[in-house]
């Protein structure tokens, strides 16, 4: 059984991005929690997954734009790790910034499971939603901390006129 | 001519053992961990990432530890490591207008949409040594200023949460760009994307004259000190371009790529960037002037700097030098060092510069022998000439 993806999935785009931006520890914790509480996905599910290609660390050339929106230019590289697995006929891919093979591999596994209609609903509610909440909280904290440094400058008139 | 030298293996090994000792320092002081460097020397990490030209905080911290704090050496280590990794692809251009801001200031408008946020900055500090930091270290206390870390967390537990995954797109307030305010009034030259090809100086060596994409890429990896001095020289009148800091912002941006096997864009993570937009002296657009002798409108020009991490000084220096190097576009004669493309770009890389400087420490015995011989011959020649001359003079005086 092999399921080809026919059109770019907005959901898939979202979950791959969310999981890549979630720190590995948080992702692992939530995944373990999800396995224990839902009892739907076998705990040894990883054993059913085969690597499509070896996990690999390499570089992605980061591009910027002159003045923020003009012509493109190369800023520099960043380390990126990618994994590709097949699990029960679904192909999963994991791409993350950095060099954590565990992180990339876990995302690839979860990407495959998330495409599986059998698990999708459960994973959406017990994995993705909590992760999105967590990320929202972290971002909020940063916003609030920075907002405390918001400054109002006053110009003071000097001289007689 | 190069002549090989042999030997010295034992001495070199011993020297490297000594280096390891120097790096470790006094054994009674606990060893510094890579994660401590990563967390507690973030600005050193930022500089090494920017000039080493790889965004990876952990690798940069490791390089700093290995080089015992010699920054140019650490940058060299990271550049060398870079050559061992395959490059998968290029990212989509990062969108700095969607940055989640941790610092944002402008020196040209005091009231801005989105406001000015100082973030964490050395600005407005008194630059007095803080002996309290030393005292804390001695007493083994943590130097975290917030005594009640839970206070912040509990406060945010009450923040209303958006639970849908789709909310990620609007995950933070977008701060509009200051330059857009001037652009919209027609007072600022717009940056346009004409789809021109992007030069990659890490693949193809720069040939002069080069385009702005090659210049900006070179300036990102350029030595901060060198750029700081060049930028300073433009402020002091060597290639004056009358700069104002239009906007400086630091924060995280998402990096997205389109993997071949997926065919659609995904975010692979976030990186911290600092961007500086300089408003520089105005110029009359030539194209407008040519049109029916209409009076042409003068517009501000601009310089741009973008770096990894919170390397603000570097971003500002890049923006100044970027503008100075645009002199030909505005009919300014390139009289000053900062305006001379080949001079700036071929001397700005500290890995190249340190490499060529270092080679002076290698044996030049044969080279130097030939110089010595030449000098001795010259001196002997001139001595014998002057002797024979004085002898001749002596014989003339005799009668």
């Amino acid at each position: 059984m092999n399921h080809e993806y026919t059109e770019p999935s907005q959901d898939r785009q979202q979950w791959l991005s969310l999981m890549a931006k979630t720190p590995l520890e948080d992702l692992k914790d939530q995944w373990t929690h999800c396995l224990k509480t839902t009892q739907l996905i076998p705990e040894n599910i990883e054993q059913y997954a085969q690597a499509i290609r070896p996990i690999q660390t390499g570089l992605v050339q980061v591009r910027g734009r002159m003045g923020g929106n003009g012509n493109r230019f190369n800023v520099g590289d960043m380390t990126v790790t990618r994994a590709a697995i097949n699990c029960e006929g679904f192909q999963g891919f994991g791409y993350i910034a950095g060099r954590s093979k565990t992180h990339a591999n876990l995302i690839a596994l979860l990407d495959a499971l998330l495409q599986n209609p059998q698990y999708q609903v459960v994973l959406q509610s017990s994995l993705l939603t909590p992760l999105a909440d967590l990320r929202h909280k972290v971002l909020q904290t940063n916003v609030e901390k920075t907002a405390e440094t918001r400054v109002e400058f006053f110009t003071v008139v000097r001289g007689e006129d | 001519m190069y002549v090989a030298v042999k030997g010295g293996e034992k001495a070199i090994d011993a020297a490297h053992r000594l280096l390891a000792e120097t790096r470790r320092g006094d054994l009674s002081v606990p060893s510094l961990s890579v994660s401590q460097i990563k967390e507690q020397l973030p600005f050193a990490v930022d500089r090494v990432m920017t000039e080493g030209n790889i965004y990876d905080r952990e690798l940069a911290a490791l390089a700093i530890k290995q080089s015992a704090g010699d920054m140019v050496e650490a940058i060299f280590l990271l550049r060398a490591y870079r050559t061992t990794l395959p490059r998968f692809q290029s990212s989509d251009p990062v969108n700095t207008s969607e940055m989640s801001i941790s610092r944002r200031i402008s020196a040209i408008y005091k009231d801005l949409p989105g406001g000015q946020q100082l973030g964490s900055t050395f600005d407005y500090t008194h630059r007095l040594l803080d002996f309290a930091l030393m005292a804390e270290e001695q007493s083994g206390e943590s130097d975290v200023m917030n005594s009640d870390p839970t206070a912040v967390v509990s406060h945010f537990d009450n923040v209303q949460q958006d639970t849908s995954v789709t909310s990620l797109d609007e995950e933070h307030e977008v701060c509009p760009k200051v330059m857009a305010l001037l652009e919209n009034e027609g007072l600022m030259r717009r940056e346009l994307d004409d789809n021109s090809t992007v030069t990659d100086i890490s693949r193809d060596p720069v040939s002069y004259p080069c385009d702005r994409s090659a210049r900006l890429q070179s300036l990102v990896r350029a030595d901060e000190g060198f750029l700081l001095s060049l930028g300073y020289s433009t402020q002091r009148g060597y290639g004056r371009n009358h700069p104002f800091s239009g906007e400086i912002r630091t924060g995280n941006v998402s990096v997205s790529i389109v993997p071949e096997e997926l065919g659609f864009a995904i975010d692979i993570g976030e990186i911290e960037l600092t961007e500086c937009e300089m408003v520089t002296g105005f110029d009359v657009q030539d194209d407008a002037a040519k049109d029916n002798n209409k009076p042409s409108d003068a517009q501000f020009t601009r310089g741009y700097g973008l770096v990894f991490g919170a390397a603000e000084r570097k971003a500002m220096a890049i923006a100044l030098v970027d503008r100075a190097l645009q002199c030909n576009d505005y009919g300014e004669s390139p009289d000053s060092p900062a305006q001379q493309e080949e001079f700036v770009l071929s001397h700005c890389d500290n890995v190249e510069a340190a490499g060529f400087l270092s080679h002076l420490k290698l044996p030049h015995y044969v080279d130097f022998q030939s110089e010595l011989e030449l000098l001795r011959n010259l001196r002997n020649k001139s001595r014998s000439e002057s002797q024979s001359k004085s002898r001749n003079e002596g014989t003339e005086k005799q009668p």
Side-chain angles (χ1 to χ4, degrees), chain A residues 5 7-18 20-21 53 56-84 93-99 111 124 128-129 132-133 135-137 139-155, chain B residues 53-56 58-59 81-82 85-94 96 101-102 110-111 114-119 124 152 156-157 159-163 165 168-169 171 177 191-196 198-200 202 212-213 216-217 220 254-255 257 259 261-262 264-271 275 277 302 304 306 308:
Chain A
Y5 240 86
E7 57 187 72
S9 154
Q10 211 190 345
D11 281 348
R12 197 170 172 209
Q13 204 172 14
Q14 300 267 0
W15 75 53
L16 284 171
S17 302
L18 173 64
K21 288 177 185 173
R53 60 162 182 247
Q56 197 184 14
T57 295
L59 299 171
V60 159
Q61 174 87 270
V62 180
R63 286 200 165 149
R65 287 189 181 281
M66 301 167 191
N69 51 12
N71 278 320
R72 295 162 300 160
F73 71 97
N74 293 314
V75 184
D77 288 284
M78 64 191 282
T79 50
V80 172
T81 303
R82 65 182 179 191
F93 296 98
Y95 276 81
I96 52 124
R99 287 166 297 110
D111 180 40
Q124 278 278 2
L128 296 183
T129 307
D133 288 350
R135 178 161 167 77
H136 188 79
K137 230 187 264 184
L139 287 172
Q140 270 299 326
T141 311
N142 291 341
V143 167
E144 297 277 334
K145 271 190 184 173
T146 307
E148 281 173 29
T149 68
R150 184 176 289 243
V151 66
E152 305 286 343
F153 285 118
F154 301 98
T155 41
Chain B
N53 221 223
I54 301 185
Y55 193 99
D56 189 313
E58 198 179 40
L59 287 181
Y81 178 76
R82 190 175 184 278
L85 294 176
R87 186 183 281 156
F88 296 154
Q89 61 187 109
S90 292
S91 77
D92 291 343
V94 290
T96 51
I101 303 279
S102 55
K110 74 185 165 62
D111 301 310
Q116 299 209 40
Q117 307 185 60
L118 298 178
Y124 313 106
V152 181
F156 291 109
D157 279 345
V159 172
Q160 201 192 352
Q161 292 159 21
D162 193 338
T163 50
V165 180
L168 272 175
D169 282 347
E171 60 196 8
K177 289 289 194 76
E191 294 283 9
L192 297 170
D193 179 9
D194 59 13
N195 251 322
S196 53
V198 186
T199 308
D200 183 4
S202 65
R212 195 170 166 215
S213 71
L216 281 168
Q217 190 186 7
V220 174
S254 296
V255 179
I257 60 171
E261 60 253 14
L262 291 175
F264 53 86
I266 54 164
D267 294 347
I268 53 172
E270 286 176 306
I271 58 174
E275 180 187 53
E277 298 220 61
R302 57 206 289 173
Y304 186 69
L306 185 68
F308 289 153

Side-chain angles (χ1 to χ4, degrees), chain B residues 46-298:
Chain B
D46 290 343
R47 179 169 177 200
V48 171
M49 286 198 305
T50 300
E51 293 174 34
N53 221 223
I54 301 185
Y55 193 99
D56 189 313
R57 304 200 76 85
E58 198 179 40
L59 287 181
L62 171 62
I64 292 166
K65 176 168 175 164
Q66 189 178 331
S67 68
D70 181 331
M71 299 298 269
V72 175
E73 189 68 31
I75 290 159
F76 192 172
L77 289 172
L78 208 53
R79 287 269 190 99
Y81 178 76
R82 190 175 184 278
T83 61
T84 66
L85 294 176
R87 186 183 281 156
F88 296 154
Q89 61 187 109
S90 292
S91 77
D92 291 343
V94 290
N95 189 349
T96 51
S97 62
E98 284 182 5
M99 181 183 274
S100 47
I101 303 279
S102 55
R103 169 167 166 80
R104 188 237 195 174
I105 55 162
S106 170
I108 58 170
Y109 290 115
K110 74 185 165 62
D111 301 310
L112 289 170
Q116 299 209 40
Q117 307 185 60
L118 298 178
S120 81
T121 176
F122 289 117
D123 295 350
Y124 313 106
T125 60
H126 293 109
R127 267 77 182 203
L128 297 171
L129 276 178
D130 181 4
F131 288 95
L133 290 174
M134 202 187 270
E136 277 159 7
E137 191 180 294
Q138 278 157 2
S139 65
E141 279 170 27
S142 106
D143 50 7
V144 175
M145 281 190 277
N146 191 343
S147 55
D148 183 9
T150 55
V152 181
V153 179
S154 61
H155 175 64
F156 291 109
D157 279 345
N158 301 328
V159 172
Q160 201 192 352
Q161 292 159 21
D162 193 338
T163 50
S164 69
V165 180
T166 48
S167 70
L168 272 175
D169 282 347
E170 311 109 43
E171 60 196 8
H172 49 76
E173 188 192 3
V174 171
C175 261
K177 289 289 194 76
V178 174
M179 296 304 236
L181 302 174
L182 291 165
E183 283 175 8
N184 293 342
E185 274 193 80
L187 298 173
M188 168 63 72
R189 193 181 149 267
R190 274 182 200 277
E191 294 283 9
L192 297 170
D193 179 9
D194 59 13
N195 251 322
S196 53
T197 50
V198 186
T199 308
D200 183 4
I201 61 154
S202 65
R203 289 283 160 89
D204 311 303
V206 185
S207 61
Y208 303 102
C210 63
D211 61 16
R212 195 170 166 215
S213 71
R215 291 201 300 254
L216 281 168
Q217 190 186 7
S218 308
L219 295 177
V220 174
R221 28 159 83 197
D223 183 79
E224 179 177 320
F226 180 74
L227 289 190
L228 174 64
S229 296
L230 279 179
Y232 180 43
S233 76
T234 67
Q235 288 183 280
R236 291 194 64 255
Y238 294 90
R240 188 181 291 282
N241 50 38
H242 205 64
F244 293 93
S245 293
E247 182 173 3
I248 298 168
R249 52 168 70 192
T250 299
N252 287 342
V253 295
S254 296
V255 179
S256 69
I257 60 171
V258 182
E260 216 172 276
E261 60 253 14
L262 291 175
F264 53 86
I266 54 164
D267 294 347
I268 53 172
E270 286 176 306
I271 58 174
E272 188 183 33
L273 292 176
T274 296
E275 180 187 53
C276 171
E277 298 220 61
M278 266 321 161
V279 177
T280 48
F282 36 79
D283 176 73
V284 178
Q285 291 289 66
D286 277 352
D287 297 344
K290 277 175 208 151
D291 271 10
N292 318 326
N293 297 332
K294 260 195 278 180
S296 54
D297 285 334

